[in-house]
Amino acid sequence: MKYSALKITELVFVNLITLTRLLGAFALPFIYAFKGPSVCAIVTIILFLTDAIDGFLARTLKISTFLGSSLDALSDKLLNTISFIILGIEYNIMIPPIILEISILLTNYSTYRFGGNVQSSFIGKIKTIILDIFVIFSFILLSLNAINTNNKIVNYFIDNTSTYINIFGCIISIVCIIALLDYMKKNKQTRANPKLTHVKFQKRKRKTFKEIMRDAIDTKYYIKHKDEAIMKQLYK
């Protein structure tokens, strides 16, 4: 598919926003270690905002692609996991969400391997929103410790930071468990469906790397095949 110069610019710009979140996730531990929780909180908020921005632009400009969708999912998962690792260093309550997020990732990989659709479910999208909100709140609470003030409300939150982060961690864990059960159900349905098993795809001719990349950045191809399994897009 041929694109105009404007459309190519839009595609590159939106995917760069997503890529910024991916690279920012890797940089987050260094920001936390060298700049402290206050700067880390600001960066985290910016990174989570890019998730809403790139999705909005992709839909508005009608430039959604498999490449953008895959980068978006990867950056979201990585950002959440690294955030939990940072928070988990001081608060053990954030360790279970790490395990649960990895479990969700492995479950989705299994679903993918058996030819199922690994798009986020409604529950999965709600989980992501809740995780984003409480991770941001957690970093904001940690950043308050650097504030020297006589404000009673601020001091109240400073004194009760551990309590609130523990509450946030419990809520996050519960939401992750619900999402994991939902993805496990989808995985079970996929594995039980003989039409979706990976054996079927092995009988088909695999696309070349050039063909895969061509389809990965083709907006019309994405609109037509977005509800199908990703594995199916690797075969002719």
Side-chain angles (χ1 to χ4, degrees):
M1 179 180 181
K2 293 184 178 180
Y3 293 110
S4 64
L6 176 61
K7 188 63 68 175
I8 292 174
T9 303
E10 291 172 347
L11 273 168
V12 171
F13 178 69
V14 172
N15 284 320
L16 279 177
I17 294 176
T18 307
L19 190 59
T20 299
R21 184 163 70 259
L22 185 65
L23 297 176
F26 283 113
L28 210 56
F30 300 98
I31 294 172
Y32 183 81
F34 295 105
K35 297 296 182 179
S38 298
V39 176
C40 192
I42 295 172
V43 173
T44 303
I45 292 172
I46 294 173
L47 292 177
F48 279 123
L49 283 175
T50 62
D51 186 23
I53 293 171
D54 61 8
F56 172 77
L57 289 176
R59 291 188 296 271
T60 302
L61 299 174
K62 298 180 180 179
I63 52 173
S64 298
T65 62
F66 273 110
L67 177 62
S69 177
S70 299
L71 280 175
D72 183 65
L74 176 61
S75 60
D76 288 347
K77 190 68 65 180
L78 188 65
L79 180 57
N80 277 324
T81 302
I82 291 178
S83 297
F84 290 141
I85 291 174
I86 294 173
L87 294 170
I89 292 173
E90 294 188 39
Y91 299 94
N92 293 335
I93 193 66
M94 291 298 180
I95 294 177
I98 299 174
I99 299 172
L100 290 166
E101 281 288 270
I102 293 174
S103 298
I104 290 174
L105 181 63
L106 293 175
T107 300
N108 281 338
Y109 177 72
S110 175
T111 302
Y112 155 76
R113 288 296 300 163
F114 278 84
N117 189 308
V118 293
Q119 279 189 340
S120 292
S121 63
F122 175 76
I123 294 177
K125 292 177 181 177
I126 295 298
K127 181 216 69 171
T128 299
I129 294 173
I130 292 175
L131 262 60
D132 292 354
I133 291 173
F134 285 115
V135 166
I136 290 173
F137 281 171
S138 296
F139 278 117
I140 290 175
L141 283 174
L142 289 176
S143 68
L144 292 178
N145 291 314
I147 299 176
N148 187 9
T149 179
N150 292 321
N151 186 288
K152 291 183 179 180
I153 296 177
V154 174
N155 285 328
Y156 167 79
F157 283 111
I158 291 174
D159 294 337
N160 293 277
T161 294
S162 296
T163 300
Y164 279 104
I165 290 182
N166 284 325
I167 292 173
F168 295 163
C170 290
I171 295 173
I172 290 171
S173 294
I174 292 171
V175 173
C176 285
I177 290 172
I178 294 173
L180 176 59
L181 292 174
D182 183 56
Y183 285 120
M184 288 175 67
K185 179 181 178 182
K186 181 191 291 187
N187 178 261
K188 184 178 180 180
Q189 292 173 341
T190 298
R191 294 167 69 95
N193 189 337
K195 294 182 180 180
L196 295 178
T197 58
H198 66 290
V199 176
K200 300 293 182 182
F201 293 112
Q202 290 177 351
K203 297 179 181 179
R204 299 169 62 178
K205 186 177 179 180
R206 195 180 182 94
K207 293 180 181 177
T208 64
F209 178 77
K210 183 178 180 180
E211 289 173 324
I212 291 174
M213 292 307 300
R214 178 200 63 199
D215 294 337
I217 60 174
D218 189 332
T219 55
K220 290 185 177 180
Y221 182 87
Y222 176 79
I223 293 172
K224 183 178 180 180
H225 300 279
K226 64 179 181 178
D227 293 325
E228 298 175 353
I230 292 180
M231 178 173 280
K232 187 176 181 180
Q233 314 316 316
L234 304 179
Y235 297 84
K236 298 180 180 179

